[in-house]
Amino acid sequence: MEMIRATNICKNFDTLEVLKNIDFSISQGEVVSVIGPSGSGKSTLLRCFHQLESIHEGTIEVEGKVIVAEGSQKNNYTISAEEKRQGVLKMGMVFQDFNLFPHKTVLENIIEAPIIVLHKTREEAVKKAEELLDRVGLLYKRDVYPSQLSGGQKQRIAIARALALDPDIMLFDEPTSSLDPELVGEVLKVIKDLAEEKRTMIIVTHEMAFAQEVSDRVVFMDEGRILEEGPPEKIFKNPDNERMQTFLGKII
C-alpha cells in the first residue's frame, strides 16, 4: 500500500524554484532517508507533505486519497478542508528545533493534541503519554519544563508527542541537526527502534551512516530535484549520478 504519493510537485518562494517536478512515493512499512546538500529542497518537501507549505503544481495523495491538487491539477479534484485535515493527521512530524511549548510541562506538551484534536479524555491522553515517555526513556521527566531538558531529551519528547496522535507515517526533518554531537546517538536510537517496528518513515538527515543503516531506500536531492534513489548499498557504494558521487566524496 502506498502511504504517500507526490506527483509533479513544484514549489516556489517568489521567483526561486525550490521543488522542481518532484515525483515521490513511500510504501507501508518503508523507511526512506532523504539526503543532499543544504538548500536542496529536502525539508521543504516534508513541509509540503504535512501542509506547512503550499505547493504550486502537482498532487499529494495520502493512503490513496488526494489531499492537495494545485496548478494544472486543481480542477480535477474536489477536496474538502476535512479531507485535507484527515490526511495531514495521518502524518506525525518531528522538527529539527523541537517546537515544544516552553510554558507547559513535558506531560502537558504530549497530551494537548490528543485531547484537542482526537478528543481523548485527559485520563486516556495521560496513559498514552506515560507509555510513550517510558518508551523513549524519559518517564521520570514527565513533570519538568523543556528548559530543564537537554537537546537530546527535548527531541525525544518531540518524537513522543508526534507518536501520541497515532500517525500512520512519521516525518523527521533533520532531527539531530540542532544537537551537540554527544546527544545525537540517543535520538537516533529512538528512530532506529521505530524503524525496526516497520513504521513508515521519511527521514531528512545529514547522518549518512545512520541513513545507510536504517533505510530501505535513500533519495538524493539537489537544487530542488531528485537526482538518484535506490537501496542504501547502491546509493552509498556505487551511485550512478555524478553530482551524488561528488557529494559523497566530500562527506564520506
Side-chain angles (χ1 to χ4, degrees):
M1 177 181 179
E2 280 191 339
M3 303 299 276
I4 294 177
R5 170 167 286 280
T7 305
N8 194 35
I9 294 294
C10 298
K11 167 68 180 175
N12 304 331
F13 289 119
D14 295 324
T15 59
L16 178 65
E17 288 184 287
V18 183
L19 298 176
K20 306 170 185 176
N21 304 108
I22 294 286
D23 289 320
F24 177 97
S25 66
I26 182 169
S27 299
Q28 187 172 22
E30 190 179 17
V31 177
V32 176
S33 289
V34 184
I35 64 172
S38 296
S40 58
K42 308 181 301 294
S43 293
T44 300
L45 181 62
L46 280 200
R47 291 176 66 84
C48 287
F49 290 160
H50 206 247
Q51 288 303 285
L52 298 170
E53 299 284 355
S54 58
I55 62 173
H56 293 93
E57 175 66 51
T59 59
I60 298 173
E61 300 173 49
V62 177
E63 296 184 7
K65 294 184 179 180
V66 176
I67 66 165
V68 181
E70 295 295 344
S72 62
Q73 297 298 314
K74 188 167 187 175
N75 293 331
N76 294 335
Y77 300 92
T78 301
I79 305 162
S80 69
E82 180 60 19
E83 286 173 324
K84 180 180 287 191
R85 175 179 174 273
Q86 289 300 321
V88 171
L89 277 176
K90 294 181 185 297
M91 296 176 275
M93 188 152 178
V94 177
F95 301 87
Q96 54 186 294
D97 53 359
F98 323 130
N99 284 10
L100 298 177
F101 297 117
H103 61 290
K104 293 182 180 293
T105 66
V106 163
L107 185 70
E108 289 168 342
N109 263 279
I110 296 173
I111 68 174
E112 179 160 307
I115 290 172
I116 294 174
V117 177
L118 300 182
H119 309 297
K120 300 282 189 182
T121 66
R122 181 179 174 84
E123 183 180 10
E124 290 172 329
V126 168
K127 184 175 184 294
K128 177 76 170 181
E130 289 178 339
E131 290 171 356
L132 291 169
L133 284 171
D134 188 47
R135 180 174 179 176
V136 300
L138 290 171
L139 181 56
Y140 70 105
K141 295 286 190 181
R142 73 190 290 281
D143 296 318
V144 307
Y145 289 87
S147 62
Q148 299 168 272
L149 301 173
S150 70
Q153 290 170 338
K154 289 177 184 176
Q155 194 59 292
R156 285 148 66 195
I157 298 301
I159 293 171
R161 182 179 61 178
L163 290 170
L165 286 172
D166 291 320
D168 294 338
I169 307 152
M170 288 290 289
L171 311 177
F172 293 90
D173 182 12
E174 298 187 16
T176 61
S177 64
S178 297
L179 302 180
D180 292 334
E182 71 259 27
L183 301 177
V184 169
E186 65 189 58
V187 174
L188 294 183
K189 182 183 183 304
V190 173
I191 300 173
K192 183 180 177 181
D193 289 345
L194 293 173
E196 289 175 352
E197 295 175 5
K198 294 300 181 183
R199 280 186 174 268
T200 308
M201 300 196 294
I202 306 173
I203 309 167
V204 169
T205 184
H206 290 296
E207 302 286 342
M208 296 298 114
F210 178 71
Q212 192 167 354
E213 180 182 5
V214 305
S215 305
D216 299 303
R217 179 162 48 102
V218 175
V219 172
F220 175 69
M221 290 184 66
D222 189 34
E223 296 185 348
R225 300 185 189 277
I226 293 176
L227 299 186
E228 188 163 358
E229 60 182 299
E233 57 271 20
K234 173 70 168 67
I235 293 295
F236 287 106
K237 295 179 181 176
N238 190 30
D240 296 320
N241 184 270
E242 185 176 343
R243 178 67 183 94
M244 178 72 187
Q245 294 169 5
T246 302
F247 174 75
L248 290 177
K250 291 180 177 179
I251 63 172
I252 295 180

